[in-house]
Amino acid sequence: MRVGILTGGGDCPGLNAVIRAVTRKGIQEGDAIVGILHGWKGMITGEHEELTLRAVTGLLHKGGTILHTSRTNPFMEEGGAEKVKKTFGYLGLDALVIVGGEDTLGVALKLYEMGLPVVGVPKTIDNDLSGTDYTFGFDTAVTIATEAIDRLHTTAESHDRVMVVEVMGRHTGWIAVHSGLAGGADLILIPERPFHLDEVADVIIKRHSRGKNFSIVVVAEGARLDSDDEGSLAVQSEEVDAFGHVRLGGIGQFLGKEIEDRTGFETRVTVLGHVQRGGSPTAHDRILATRFGVKAHDLVHEGKFGLMTALVDGRIDSVTLKDAVAELKTVDSELYSIAEIFFG
Ligand code: F6P
């Protein structure tokens, strides 16, 4: 078989491990593996490279994606979907493995419904895809954020300061809750729970009154004030990408100033940003990405298209792309309740 593979959307640690797994397994079984460059853009322009064993050597520990990525949406271009189908034929492909998050896999689903044989692999540091317990990349992002919180703890304590840490998480607070729990945050603010500034200040003041002169507040970039405060998302730029997303950022700075004004405690803000997406994947993500890559190749050979590989109750399985992108997986309230026990 001739199997194409592309990586789309924001990059994340573990992408190269999937590319390596699909290529190694494919070549072992006599396939030719074609790397499509720059995500869906490559399926429009035809930019590609044949993936040999040599091309995927030494990739396992490397962050980013050797295939490059983009947030191109073929359905936003005149005749884009037709161009994708044409490229598929021109490259002589039998199947396409799509490694992406909700946007990239949403495109995969539409193309599958138009007759393209695709298999999806769930990737995003945000961990917000349905149908899978975890996406790869998430564990690495949580590990990086937790280490940052640990480091901020010591300096917060020395200076008797409040430290606000802004982490990624456009629609959901998975990174915030996991890193906040692991790092012992005193308050965690997430998109799923719009918040009141008075309540935030109260938590910090109460903590101070029981002798704790420093606080760590973790906030997801997509967190917002409760509507009572007429809040809206903090954005760096109103400009939208091909999937209609604005560039988030700024909630941390806003919160830091409000906390200082309302509590009188000196406050500093750290925005972790793309540091969370860069560098080497954790062992957990390398293994998960490898298992997903092998499963994706199996699905291709079994002719099971329109599916996404998934981790279900610890086992590698598959779900339909339709179910995976139907709705975002938000932070479950049970987990947030556990984090709440340690607030203040
Ligand atoms: O979707 C993953 C993600 O890292 C989000 O958490 C974040 O909002 C977004 O990508 C940032 O995108 P970009 O790299 O295009 O600025």
Side-chain angles (χ1 to χ4, degrees), residues 108-169:
L109 172 62
K110 282 193 201 162
L111 289 163
Y112 168 68
E113 288 169 346
M114 291 168 72
L116 215 66
V118 302
V119 164
V121 176
K123 153 274 30 161
T124 166
I125 63 162
D126 290 353
N127 195 40
D128 57 2
L129 263 171
S130 289
T132 185
D133 299 346
Y134 291 103
T135 52
F136 71 84
F138 172 64
D139 184 67
T140 308
V142 169
T143 302
I144 293 167
T146 303
E147 194 198 323
I149 295 168
D150 287 350
R151 289 177 184 279
L152 290 168
H153 247 112
T154 60
T155 170
E157 200 165 357
S158 308
H159 286 266
D160 303 324
R161 281 173 174 162
V162 177
M163 289 288 185
V164 175
V165 193
E166 182 182 308
V167 298
M168 279 189 170

Side-chain angles (χ1 to χ4, degrees), residues 9-12 71 101-103 123-128 167-172 175 221-222 236 241 245-249 273-274 276-277:
D11 73 337
C12 92
R71 292 195 190 274
E102 44 138 358
D103 295 329
K123 153 274 30 161
T124 166
I125 63 162
D126 290 353
N127 195 40
D128 57 2
V167 298
M168 279 189 170
R170 198 196 287 274
H171 307 290
T172 63
I175 298 176
E221 61 181 352
Q236 280 185 51
D241 66 17
H245 303 305
V246 289
R247 196 166 349 128
L248 296 181
H274 291 80
Q276 295 158 99
R277 284 216 323 239

Side-chain angles (χ1 to χ4, degrees), residues 233-257:
L233 292 180
V235 297
Q236 280 185 51
S237 160
E238 294 282 357
E239 204 182 314
V240 292
D241 66 17
F243 292 92
H245 303 305
V246 289
R247 196 166 349 128
L248 296 181
I251 187 69
Q253 288 297 344
F254 166 79
L255 196 62
K257 182 167 183 332

Side-chain angles (χ1 to χ4, degrees), residues 25-46:
K25 180 94 189 320
I27 290 176
Q28 249 176 48
E29 299 197 4
D31 294 340
I33 309 296
V34 183
I36 310 297
L37 302 179
H38 304 287
W40 285 118
K41 193 170 161 201
M43 282 303 287
I44 292 173
T45 61

Side-chain angles (χ1 to χ4, degrees), residues 251-325:
I251 187 69
Q253 288 297 344
F254 166 79
L255 196 62
K257 182 167 183 332
E258 289 292 337
I259 289 174
E260 197 164 81
D261 288 352
R262 285 165 191 257
T263 64
F265 302 139
E266 201 179 11
T267 304
R268 294 288 187 270
V269 178
T270 301
V271 180
L272 294 184
H274 291 80
V275 168
Q276 295 158 99
R277 284 216 323 239
S280 192
T282 57
H284 175 278
D285 279 338
R286 293 179 201 189
I287 294 166
L288 184 59
T290 300
R291 293 173 82 195
F292 279 161
V294 168
K295 177 72 177 179
H297 183 266
D298 287 346
L299 290 174
V300 164
H301 267 235
E302 288 159 17
K304 292 185 176 164
F305 299 113
L307 299 181
M308 179 188 86
T309 64
L311 186 71
V312 182
D313 297 333
R315 284 182 39 252
I316 299 294
D317 208 331
S318 60
V319 295
T320 64
L321 278 170
K322 201 168 185 173
D323 285 344
V325 303

Side-chain angles (χ1 to χ4, degrees), residues 206-223:
K206 278 198 191 119
R207 187 173 148 78
H208 203 261
S209 67
R210 68 177 179 89
K212 294 288 187 182
N213 293 345
F214 72 95
S215 296
I216 305 284
V217 179
V218 177
V219 60
E221 61 181 352

